[in-house]
Amino acid sequence: MSPFLCVIFLLCLSTLATAAKFNQVYEWDELDYEWPAEANRTKSLIDGTFKPEDMSPLYMAVFGSRLFLSLGSYNGIPVSLVTVPTSSTSTKHPKLTPFPSWEVHDNGKYGDCNKIEVAAGLQVDSIGRLWVLDSGSSECKAKLWIIDLNNNDRTKLVHRFVFRNWMHDLVLDETADGTFAYISRWGESHIVVFNLKRKQSWMVYTPSKIQVISIAISPNMEEPRKLYLGKLISEEVYSISAATLRSGITRRVNPKLIGNWKTTDPYRMLIDNQGIMYSAFPAENLEHK
Ligand SMILES: *[C@@H]1O[C@H](CO)[C@@H](O)[C@H](O)[C@H]1NC(C)=O
């Protein structure tokens, strides 16, 4: 077993000019679920569906006082989407609660296409719905789930994509004509566009040299909205207009090179409502205006 430490920080940015202040909220040396009964845990440890040392949180979203995490694993885990409260007075290392329930997950039973198999990128929209990318498996196509956090966490499997695997991140574009999701996959030379109103998805291809990893979108009030793309194993950042993707007509785009990070592989990118872009790198953090 390789020991690891997992920490969640709350970040406070009071104004643009002040330095960020971090508050450590939780710290785990091993993650574990809130099991229905100890017998379930023991059984899963014995049959190998649960390997606590394999769980690593990769994506995060927040709504009210709930924090949602997607857990990555190379070997499969019973549940890949969990929730913990944003603050807790009782414990510094809470158990992870399967979200929305144990039943919605495959529980380590490989290849059930009606369950959440491998949760990846997460986003909450303006009306409190959690969008969850699901990579699927070699048996099942990738999927998109929407969970209504304001309505008893009502869960819908809204779409099955034509491909499987390698889901990474998504951004949402809420327009007068409904909500669109733009999805990046690990190092693929395309963006997947999903139109919620029509329940349709399609690929928009980038030149083969632009293998997209991270994806970010400019703030809502800023029109024309732009998408920003971080490239795999590269410092380059590209942009394209969101309107081009929405139409469904354009299937090939030529994103514009707009700059270089000073380091490679922006794993995730995010733009706040002031138009400041943040990026996470495995080794360091940078901020660009
Ligand atoms: C827990 O164990 C009970 C009894 O074996 C079983 O019916 C139930 O499905 C298990 N639940 C989970 C989430 O593994």
Side-chain angles (χ1 to χ4, degrees), residues 35-37 39-40 43-44 102-103 107 109:
W35 293 86
N40 297 86
K43 180 174 176 290
S44 299
W102 281 98
E103 288 68 37
N107 289 307
K109 288 180 213 78

Side-chain angles (χ1 to χ4, degrees), residues 68-101:
F68 303 95
L69 301 169
S70 293
L71 308 172
S73 163
Y74 291 111
N75 297 312
I77 44 177
V79 166
S80 57
L81 178 65
V82 296
T83 183
V84 287
T86 50
S87 65
S88 166
T89 46
S90 57
T91 173
K92 284 275 169 205
H93 35 83
K95 298 264 169 70
L96 310 174
T97 306
F99 188 79
S101 66

